[in-house]
Amino acid sequence: MTEAARPTAPVPRAGRREWTGLAVLALPTLLISMDVTVLYLAVPQLSADLAPSSSQLLWILDVYGFLVAGFLIAMGVLGDRIGRRRLLLVGAAAFGAASLVAAWSTSAELLIANRALLGIAGATLMPSTLALIRNMFQDPRQRTAAIAVWMSSFTVGMTLGPLVGGALLEHFWWGSVFLLGVPPMVLLLVVGPVLLPEYRDPDPGRLDLSSVALSVAAMIALVYGVKELAKDGAALVPALVLLAGLVLGYVFVRRQRRLADPLLDLRLFADRAFSASLLTLTLSLFAMSGLFFFLSQYMQLVLGLSPFEAGLWTLPQTAAMIAAAGVTPALVKRSRPAYVMGGGLVVAAVGFLMFTLLDGSDDLGLMAAGTVVFALGISPMSILGVDMIVGAAPPERAGAASALSETNQEFGMAIGVAVLGSVGTAVYRTQLTDALPAGVPEAVAETARDTLGGALEAAGALPDGTGSALVAAARSAFVDGLHVNAVIGAALVVVAAVLVVLMLRDVEPADPETAEAAAAAGPGRSPDTSTNVEDTPAPAPHPSDVPA
């Protein structure tokens, strides 16, 4: 039978079990996003209890993120090999156990070790959940809706983290913030085996341990170097670590091109939907992370809000993201994804420009309105970009594609904070130098030029008139830096909008009859060969589908 004559098998649609399973997959996603923010609130209490050095405190805060970023690709590929549900459950058990030990840590060294274990366990959760969604929801339209739910759970977790963490710390000890992760992990371990199917690559080939080591070392070095340069400015050690990460990354890529069974299939990047979505999503997150790094400080250090109050003012943004997530799947049924994403990014640029109107006065309403407009615009890019990335990969490589998406987002946000944070800080220092009030000692001026927080603290030691003048000048300079970042962010998302329309305009709205077969074939692959080990294996490919 010829290719044209052979009928196309209908794409299976997800049923009640898959949608219930999606709710289960939302649990670790919610938890991971909460864990990103909640520990920062506990720093004063754990510092008083464990008395860590300044270096140890930085490692307590940062080691989790370093290891999550470092192990994402390795864990995504591992899930493809041993089974995504198995890896998810193993990671959930490890995350819950490490959370329990971390809650009752008796020394800074023990807490650092447990935060490291939490990072490695956390790296198993995100790519596993996204890869399972790719396999459970084979209908493209249903998959878009499922990813919208998945993204919403991440957004809700980011918002709930400071609120729930703050409430716990008002009544319990600092270790209680770690216990937030235990009940969701226990629930996942109980219901996951019942509701989640198992998928894995039936023919993964040989695992190259050298590639695993290179990927982990390169990503940890890159993220560490970028974050340290953003935090402390130009310094020799972070620069050398960053350079080492780039060299290791180059060696990793060269090795993948030579291997018959590469850890990361570089042919994925030949797919325009995959590579263009990865590029524009990273660019959008770059712009967002740099600006929101300044906005969080604006609420607390300029407007004087407590961390809990600042968390409450993120609720409108969260509601907007959830609303946009509900609308996006319907929009993409009627219009090409590129136009939905591009139009959304233009709206996000308007939200960015609204932040240029902030002046440090009582303008919380304007700030909240800007975050709402931005959230409505950026959500389609976030949802459809991730959807295209995982949909473009062959099902048996869904774990690797999911890990690439997560890694790229992690790296894009780190670079955004580093680069745009440095730009905003440079503007702040220049403006404050020109506006320093008379009578400020040079040592105090140097501290004030370093950060806004340092300026506010230093002003407390000055006479009332001079201190108040320094506070006003520092806050005004900080707002100037925020304005510059807002303009840069708006320009970047407009560039992303142009790129996404130019590069993805030929991608049509998802057609359940044909899109899955095309995506499953992937770069140089036959249709869906991912194995659901609980069901009857799919029929063998037709001889004409097998490469010669």
Side-chain angles (χ1 to χ4, degrees):
M1 183 181 293
T2 66
E3 181 71 23
R6 183 155 38 90
T8 302
V11 175
R13 290 180 59 82
R16 180 177 299 175
R17 182 188 181 191
E18 284 79 13
W19 288 107
T20 307
L22 177 62
V24 176
L25 293 177
L27 289 174
T29 307
L30 184 77
L31 170 68
I32 289 294
S33 58
M34 289 178 66
D35 201 70
V36 170
T37 56
V38 70
L39 184 61
Y40 287 89
L41 299 177
V43 166
Q45 291 187 27
L46 72 86
S47 296
D49 189 15
L50 301 182
S53 66
S54 58
S55 176
Q56 287 175 327
L57 183 59
L58 288 175
W59 278 108
I60 289 171
L61 295 174
D62 291 340
V63 70
Y64 174 85
F66 291 154
L67 292 181
V68 166
F71 278 87
L72 274 171
I73 291 178
M75 291 302 180
V77 173
L78 182 61
D80 288 339
R81 291 172 174 272
I82 70 171
R84 289 138 198 174
R85 184 183 68 184
R86 177 182 297 176
L87 182 66
L88 177 65
L89 296 179
V90 169
F95 199 98
S99 296
L100 283 172
V101 179
W104 280 279
S105 293
T106 55
S107 67
E109 293 82 2
L110 182 58
L111 183 55
I112 291 171
N114 279 288
R115 285 282 288 170
L117 290 175
L118 284 169
I120 297 173
T124 70
L125 302 179
M126 295 299 283
S128 296
T129 57
L130 193 51
L132 281 170
I133 289 173
R134 167 68 174 89
N135 291 116
M136 291 163 60
F137 297 90
Q138 296 185 36
D139 179 278
R141 293 177 181 174
Q142 287 188 320
R143 187 179 64 237
T144 301
I147 290 177
V149 172
W150 181 81
M151 293 290 294
S152 296
S153 65
F154 190 87
T155 302
V156 169
M158 288 286 287
T159 303
L160 289 181
L163 302 180
V164 176
L168 284 174
L169 291 171
E170 286 186 5
H171 299 92
F172 303 102
W173 88 114
W174 61 265
S176 62
V177 299
F178 289 104
L179 299 182
L180 282 171
V182 177
M185 293 299 102
V186 171
L187 182 60
L188 177 59
L189 290 171
V190 172
V191 302
V194 178
L195 294 174
L196 299 177
E198 180 63 288
Y199 293 93
R200 61 171 172 258
D201 187 347
D203 184 23
R206 186 178 67 87
L207 178 63
D208 183 54
L209 295 179
S210 296
S211 293
V212 173
L214 283 170
S215 71
V216 171
M219 283 309 305
I220 290 177
L222 288 170
V223 174
Y224 174 83
V226 168
K227 287 191 173 183
E228 290 302 302
L229 288 172
K231 188 184 305 176
D232 301 324
L236 180 60
V237 172
L240 290 176
V241 172
L242 180 60
L243 178 61
L246 292 172
V247 172
L248 290 170
Y250 174 77
V251 174
F252 172 78
V253 171
R254 287 289 300 269
R255 186 173 182 84
Q256 302 317 293
R257 291 182 175 180
R258 295 198 305 266
L259 292 174
D261 298 308
L263 183 73
L264 182 63
D265 189 353
L266 299 180
R267 291 176 297 178
L268 287 171
F269 292 93
D271 186 291
R272 176 176 286 192
F274 181 90
S275 56
S277 298
L278 208 59
L279 171 63
T280 51
L281 185 58
T282 302
L283 189 59
S284 301
L285 290 172
F286 176 95
M288 178 188 75
S289 59
L291 179 65
F292 276 73
F293 173 70
F294 265 65
L295 276 180
S296 62
Q297 297 179 73
Y298 179 81
M299 286 190 285
Q300 297 180 56
L301 300 179
V302 176
L303 300 183
L305 301 183
S306 69
F308 184 79
E309 291 171 331
L312 288 176
W313 278 96
T314 64
L315 290 176
Q317 171 190 338
T318 302
M321 283 191 168
I322 294 173
V327 173
T328 297
L331 291 176
V332 83
K333 289 180 182 178
R334 297 171 174 82
S335 181
R336 291 177 185 253
Y339 300 148
V340 176
M341 290 188 285
L345 289 172
V346 172
V347 173
V350 173
F352 271 113
L353 293 177
M354 291 175 68
F355 298 135
T356 64
L357 303 177
L358 299 175
D359 59 8
S361 62
D362 187 14
D363 49 14
L364 273 170
L366 174 61
M367 189 213 67
T371 62
V372 167
V373 174
F374 167 82
L376 291 173
I378 203 71
S379 291
M381 180 70 243
S382 301
I383 295 166
L384 297 176
V386 171
D387 187 18
M388 285 190 176
I389 291 169
V390 298
E396 69 272 14
R397 295 282 188 176
S402 302
L404 262 178
S405 173
E406 295 298 321
T407 301
N408 225 48
Q409 292 180 57
E410 185 82 20
F411 196 58
M413 292 176 70
I415 295 178
V417 171
V419 175
L420 295 184
S422 298
V423 170
T425 300
V427 173
Y428 165 77
R429 289 172 177 167
T430 301
Q431 296 297 101
L432 183 57
T433 299
D434 294 339
L436 272 175
V440 176
E442 181 56 34
V444 174
E446 188 65 28
T447 300
R449 281 192 290 263
D450 193 27
T451 63
L452 176 57
L456 299 182
E457 185 176 351
L462 298 176
D464 288 344
T466 305
S468 299
L470 177 59
V471 168
R475 285 175 169 168
S476 176
F478 185 86
V479 171
D480 289 340
L482 189 152
H483 289 168
V484 171
N485 268 354
V487 173
I488 294 174
L492 288 173
V493 294
V494 169
V495 170
V498 173
L499 288 175
V500 80
V501 172
L502 291 177
M503 300 176 74
L504 295 176
R505 64 183 183 275
D506 294 332
V507 178
E508 297 184 359
D511 180 3
E513 297 297 327
T514 60
E516 178 66 17
R525 296 230 170 221
S526 56
D528 193 348
T529 57
S530 178
T531 299
N532 180 344
V533 300
E534 296 176 352
D535 298 330
T536 303
H542 189 273
S544 64
D545 288 330
V546 180

